[in-house]
Amino acid sequence: VNLSAYKPADFLISRVAWSPDSRRVLFQAQNREQTFLDLNAADLNGKVTKLFTETTPAWVEAIDNPEFLEDGSIVWLSERNGFRHLYHLDASGRLVKQITDGRWEVSSFHGVDETNGYVYFSAVGENGDWINTHVYRARLDGSRAPERLTKEAGTHRASFNPTFTHFIDSWS
């Protein structure tokens, strides 16, 4: 992979993943201060295409690899608006829609049910409550407010089946 766009002394590869068709390697590149993050795709000949860049004067966290959808677009977890939220980006890295938004944070992303058009995630900070962690679902198109799936106060950890019709709630 041609990495000449980056200075060797000031360069981190923070995440690596295959594209679903195994024709590209995706990698997240950052400087050591982590003030930017590039999501790149390298083809099998080593040619690199930068899909997008996230920047901040303070720090960009490498959260996870993108979740690919059947049409080649991705769901991306980012703190670009000051809170960790889910974004739908097209295959070239352009924003389609911010899926979740508000003064709360997605703490973990469980996946996408493309058949029914939902994303599933856990979050904290709903209504200023930064102690409890709940499981939610939201429309992939961001058209409605997220729906909370767990009710009792506490910490909920979800393990979903592959079709997102059921989940095991580990609660404390």
Side-chain angles (χ1 to χ4, degrees):
V1 172
N2 181 357
L3 300 175
S4 62
Y6 300 101
K7 299 175 190 170
D10 189 33
F11 171 58
L12 303 168
I13 295 178
S14 50
R15 300 281 187 280
V16 178
W18 286 102
S19 63
D21 63 5
S22 298
R23 294 179 183 255
R24 299 184 303 167
V25 172
L26 290 121
F27 65 96
Q28 296 177 41
Q30 297 184 280
N31 60 344
R32 290 205 177 272
E33 292 82 20
Q34 293 178 264
T35 56
F36 76 83
L37 181 144
D38 293 340
L39 179 62
N40 298 295
D43 65 23
L44 299 178
N45 295 323
K47 181 181 175 222
V48 174
T49 302
K50 185 189 308 179
L51 299 178
F52 63 85
T53 299
E54 294 207 356
T55 61
T56 180
W59 183 60
V60 177
E61 182 179 2
I63 299 169
D64 206 352
N65 285 310
E67 172 87 15
F68 283 88
L69 305 180
E70 289 180 16
D71 65 0
S73 65
I74 63 173
V75 174
W76 178 251
L77 189 55
S78 170
E79 294 176 342
R80 63 176 61 179
N81 76 349
F83 292 88
R84 187 182 293 187
H85 284 290
L86 294 168
Y87 296 83
H88 184 192
L89 307 173
D90 70 15
S92 65
R94 286 187 302 265
L95 179 66
V96 173
K97 182 75 176 177
Q98 183 172 346
I99 301 168
T100 62
D101 191 22
R103 298 185 61 79
W104 51 273
E105 293 201 345
V106 173
S107 55
S108 50
F109 175 50
H110 303 299
V112 179
D113 172 6
E114 284 192 73
T115 303
N116 296 303
Y118 285 101
V119 294
Y120 290 85
F121 59 93
S122 293
V124 297
E126 180 183 36
N127 300 318
D129 176 7
W130 293 94
I131 296 173
N132 295 296
T133 303
H134 287 284
V135 179
Y136 298 82
R137 73 177 183 174
R139 298 296 303 175
L140 179 59
D141 64 8
S143 63
R144 287 190 294 198
E147 174 187 1
R148 191 165 87 184
L149 303 177
T150 53
K151 304 301 178 201
E152 299 296 324
T155 299
H156 297 267
R157 289 182 195 86
S159 177
F160 282 87
N161 68 339
T163 57
F164 292 95
T165 56
H166 295 83
F167 69 96
I168 297 170
D169 179 16
S170 299
W171 170 75
S172 67

